[in-house]
């Protein structure tokens, strides 16, 4: 799952290295609110989940681990 999440992130923002550990993607300006909307759609398609709108918070997109946790906590389609 981690590799697929990194692939999605790289397709949206290829200028950044999302494989880095300990980097907050939001704080570092690697992702913005428009990116998050696209990522949610891509994650839902890639993993056959429905991400709750209440879970679409910056802290849930701050790292690959947080995104993976978000996907794992989302409802399956």
């Amino acid at each position: 799952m981690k590799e697929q999440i990194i692939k999605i992130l790289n397709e949206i923002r290829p200028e950044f290295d999302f494989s880095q550990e300990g980097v907050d993607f939001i704080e570092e300006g690697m992702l913005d609110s428009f990116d998050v909307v696209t990522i949610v759609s891509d994650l839902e398609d890639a993993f056959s989940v429905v991400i709750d709108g209440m879970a679409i918070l910056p802290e849930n997109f701050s790292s690959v681990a947080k995104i993976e946790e978000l996907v794992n906590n989302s409802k399956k389609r």
Side-chain angles (χ1 to χ4, degrees):
M1 178 182 289
K2 180 179 178 178
E3 292 79 21
Q4 195 164 4
I5 291 171
I6 291 171
K7 182 179 178 207
I8 289 169
L9 295 171
N10 284 331
E11 287 173 358
I12 293 168
R13 298 296 295 266
E15 66 272 24
F16 296 114
D17 178 8
F18 291 100
S19 63
Q20 300 176 66
E21 297 289 329
V23 174
D24 186 313
F25 301 153
I26 303 297
E27 281 185 15
E28 295 296 322
M30 297 167 74
L31 297 175
D32 62 26
S33 58
F34 296 109
D35 297 328
V36 168
V37 171
T38 304
I39 292 165
V40 167
S41 176
D42 290 351
L43 291 171
E44 288 180 333
D45 291 343
F47 299 106
S48 298
V49 295
V50 176
I51 296 174
D52 186 334
M54 299 299 286
I56 302 173
L57 303 168
E59 57 266 24
N60 290 333
F61 296 88
S62 61
S63 68
V64 172
K66 287 296 214 176
I67 295 170
E68 190 171 3
E69 184 178 320
L70 174 67
V71 170
N72 286 332
N73 292 332
S74 296
K75 292 183 285 185
K76 298 288 182 195
R77 283 193 207 155

